Amino acid sequence: MSLQQTELFMIHLTTTLQRITFFLGLIFVTHFSFSANKINDLKIQTTTPRDSTKVTPEIDANFHIYLCFGQSNMEGSATIASQDTISNTRFQMLQSLNCPNLNRTKGSWYAAAAPLTQCYTGLSPADYFGKNMIKNLPDSITIAVINVAVGGSDIRLFNKKKYQKFTDTYPEDWFQNKIIDYGGNPYQHLIDLAKKSQKRGIIKGILLHQGETNHGDTKWPTYVKKIYRNMLKDLSLKANQVPLLAGEVVHKDQNGLLAEMNTIIQTLPKSIPTSHIISSRGCGAKSDRTHFNSEGIRELGKRYAIKMLSLQYNLVPTHN
């Protein structure tokens, strides 16, 4: 091979090697890019997808909630008869305590049936408030109650800032255990349940029956006003949309032991324009002259319903 041929061969070999190097580099770059894209694709695929099954339930505008509080008559001290245990799915209750004896769990909804407050209480006006409401409202509307009441309590036990001063009204276990069951703070217990209920429906009113422990105290309307205002604020409610109904204690026509308290209760609308008084005249009482008997409770509950039907639904009951 001549020198010239050798030089030509070397040039050709160098060119061939450069081309091979170029193509190998191209293959490497292409493979790397593909692998990188594959990894990115895998990353995208392994990202946790949004759980479409977790849908926030809509608030039912026809699910109407009423908050109930007070002392023993609202709590339920009357005997429960068989007629009082008949339930209807249109009348609901939000269970306030765990009650194994009733197979009920705190914070769960049930078709309302006495007892509505604690595990071993009796008949409450809230029972017949609900029963009479659904009798007179369209089938599309459901009535629900949340009842947190403490027998023997001073009204200020429901004052969110001063309640601790009134947890020892009675040192006996029968009273102290009720306070403990409500986490030491019945007001907050009620508010917590009420907030839970607002995820399902609309709070339309508040029912109060209290006054026996505060008999003779002319500041009672002022105490109630503070509690009512706190409830409205804590639950983002408006007074003109959420009336307060307050029931009288056992009336003087039933020889009520504390009947004079009714003159103070009757002044409540002067302090709270959106409050209304439910008369206890003619509502039967027990021999202690402080607690209503079963028939008296049923009648009182019906009267709460009649008033609320007129206020919130512009209805005059056709079924009693």
Side-chain angles (χ1 to χ4, degrees):
M1 182 181 292
S2 66
L3 178 61
Q4 187 177 4
Q5 288 176 325
T6 302
E7 289 176 348
L8 290 172
F9 175 77
M10 292 302 295
I11 291 171
H12 177 72
L13 179 61
T14 301
T15 304
T16 301
L17 288 172
Q18 286 176 343
R19 288 177 178 176
I20 291 170
T21 302
F22 172 78
F23 283 114
L24 286 173
L26 184 62
I27 292 169
F28 176 80
V29 171
T30 304
H31 177 73
F32 178 82
S33 299
F34 176 76
S35 299
N37 288 335
K38 252 184 115 176
I39 291 170
N40 288 334
D41 287 344
L42 286 172
K43 285 182 179 178
I44 293 171
Q45 290 172 4
T46 56
T47 301
T48 303
R50 182 170 59 88
D51 187 356
S52 60
T53 63
K54 293 182 179 180
V55 180
T56 302
E58 294 183 2
I59 294 174
D60 185 352
N62 286 333
F63 194 89
H64 297 175
I65 303 156
Y66 293 89
L67 309 182
C68 310
F69 75 108
Q71 58 179 109
S72 54
N73 277 307
M74 181 58 80
E75 179 184 61
S77 62
T79 302
I80 300 172
S82 57
Q83 71 185 85
D84 306 318
T85 61
I86 300 172
S87 61
N88 185 312
T89 55
R90 287 184 54 229
F91 177 29
Q92 295 279 310
M93 62 179 286
L94 185 58
Q95 181 65 22
S96 64
L97 297 173
N98 289 318
C99 292
N101 63 308
L102 301 172
N103 293 317
R104 297 179 192 166
T105 304
K106 175 187 172 183
S108 297
W109 291 100
Y110 298 92
L116 300 185
T117 48
Q118 294 149 28
C119 305
Y120 296 96
T121 48
L123 193 65
S124 164
D127 283 280
Y128 277 80
F129 165 76
K131 289 177 185 294
N132 282 277
M133 291 288 281
I134 62 171
K135 279 183 182 179
N136 292 279
L137 289 171
D139 291 345
S140 59
I141 295 178
T142 297
I143 297 298
V145 294
I146 305 173
N147 194 345
V148 176
V150 182
S153 64
D154 187 295
I155 189 62
R156 288 166 288 185
L157 180 64
F158 290 90
N159 184 310
K160 63 184 293 184
K161 295 182 178 179
K162 298 181 179 181
Y163 71 94
Q164 291 174 319
K165 296 180 180 179
F166 302 95
T167 57
D168 59 352
T169 302
Y170 295 94
E172 294 86 356
D173 287 347
W174 67 265
F175 185 79
Q176 293 301 313
N177 288 339
K178 293 177 183 181
I179 304 298
I180 293 171
D181 287 344
Y182 288 135
N185 187 345
Y187 173 83
Q188 191 59 49
H189 191 91
L190 176 59
I191 294 300
D192 290 344
L193 289 171
K195 286 182 177 179
K196 179 182 177 69
S197 76
Q198 286 179 307
K199 296 178 181 179
R200 181 166 181 183
I202 300 172
I203 295 175
K204 301 282 284 185
I206 302 173
L207 280 57
L208 167 67
H209 196 282
Q210 198 278 342
E212 294 89 349
T213 297
N214 293 88
H215 64 92
D217 190 343
T218 57
K219 293 182 179 180
W220 183 84
T222 302
Y223 303 151
V224 175
K225 182 178 181 179
K226 289 180 180 178
I227 297 166
Y228 178 57
R229 281 185 171 180
N230 286 337
M231 285 183 172
L232 296 177
K233 182 177 180 181
D234 290 344
L235 297 170
S236 301
L237 302 172
K238 295 180 180 180
N240 62 357
Q241 296 176 355
V242 184
L244 171 67
L245 305 189
E248 293 180 335
V249 300
V250 175
H251 204 273
K252 63 181 180 181
D253 71 355
Q254 300 294 314
N255 197 26
L257 187 65
L258 306 170
E260 291 182 1
M261 182 62 189
N262 286 335
T263 60
I264 295 174
I265 292 174
Q266 289 160 7
T267 66
L268 187 61
K270 294 180 180 179
S271 297
I272 306 175
T274 52
S275 68
H276 305 267
I277 308 305
I278 307 303
S279 173
S280 66
R281 182 186 295 273
C283 294
K286 292 183 175 182
S287 59
D288 64 7
R289 298 157 50 207
T290 302
H291 297 99
F292 296 97
N293 59 28
S294 300
E295 192 56 42
I297 283 291
R298 295 183 192 110
E299 176 61 27
L300 191 63
K302 182 176 75 173
R303 293 179 185 182
Y304 275 97
I306 290 172
K307 189 63 179 178
M308 194 63 77
L309 286 166
S310 67
L311 292 172
Q312 292 289 53
Y313 308 92
N314 196 30
L315 287 176
V316 175
T318 55
H319 297 90
N320 293 324

